[in-house]
Amino acid sequence: MKLAKYLANLGYGSRRQVAAMIERGRVTTLAGEAIDGAESIEHGDILVDGEPLDPPPRSVIMMSKPVGYACTTVGSTPTIYDLLPERFRARRPVMASVGRLDLDTSGLLLLTDDGQVNHRVTSPRTHLRKVYEVTLATDLRGDEREIFASGSLMLESDAEPLHAATLEALGPRHARLTVTEGRYHQARRMFAAVGNHVTTLHRSAVGGLELSGVEPGQWRVLNQDDKNQLFRWPSSDR
Ligand code: URA
């Protein structure tokens, strides 16, 4: 792919704008030599205005989504794209969120421009676990663990019962919920079904990947080990 098209797809500007950047010597090698656009150069060897390029195509990033940011590209509330370089809005293919977290939910959110990865994480067939730390408005009754584990809990307006989910009580109003589905408002609706109300919801893990070392509002690109970790769940050794 021509460099101008490659950079335009990464959101650095229209093809014409990017061609002008190349022309002006703003696109260089690591050694600072201007790249003329004709040669084929590795992603990691290219700088724009002295800065490394944004993640290459087919990347997966892990964001620590704060409360109050919507998983959408449009709207007046702050969105997850406000936490990324402006260029990300112009990337093609788009860097899309992998499933969604509610406006009031914080925690581990993946974004990718790789449709296969997106599908693999969100597909109900993958049964990838999602772990939520939950705080509740009223004390746990004591029977929630069994009800969630039963595999027969029907949520209002759903056609199928929920798959078995794991609940670990961490305190009277604090629990860790592990689910293997991604139904609409699932965690909040599960607790509503047992007469409670979720006051805070935080996703701490997806698959075998934990949200650690990423501060709220920050993000990082997953490396191959992270991606292996992501899909290492469910696994036979657990
Ligand atoms: N369950 C919910 O209710 N909300 C989320 O954002 C994620 C899971």
Side-chain angles (χ1 to χ4, degrees), residues 110-158:
L110 299 172
L111 291 101
T112 186
D113 55 355
D114 185 331
Q116 281 183 345
V117 170
N118 198 327
H119 180 260
R120 203 170 152 205
V121 174
T122 52
S123 167
R125 290 197 188 150
T126 314
H127 300 299
L128 214 58
R129 74 164 188 164
K130 287 111 198 159
V131 183
Y132 296 94
E133 312 293 325
V134 188
T135 50
L136 299 161
T138 55
D139 288 2
L140 288 161
R141 300 185 308 213
D143 59 352
E144 295 89 344
R145 194 164 80 95
E146 200 179 323
I147 293 172
F148 291 171
S150 69
S152 60
L153 178 64
M154 280 296 283
L155 295 181
E156 217 178 295
S157 69
D158 278 7

Side-chain angles (χ1 to χ4, degrees), residues 100-102 105 132 183-189 201 203:
R100 288 179 179 204
L101 290 178
D102 302 337
T105 303
Y132 296 94
R183 298 200 201 180
Y184 181 66
H185 291 334
Q186 182 169 340
R188 293 175 202 276
R189 290 163 70 220
L201 187 60
R203 184 156 71 189

Side-chain angles (χ1 to χ4, degrees), residues 169-180:
L170 304 172
R173 297 186 184 184
H174 186 201
R176 181 172 298 129
L177 174 67
T178 303
V179 302
T180 55

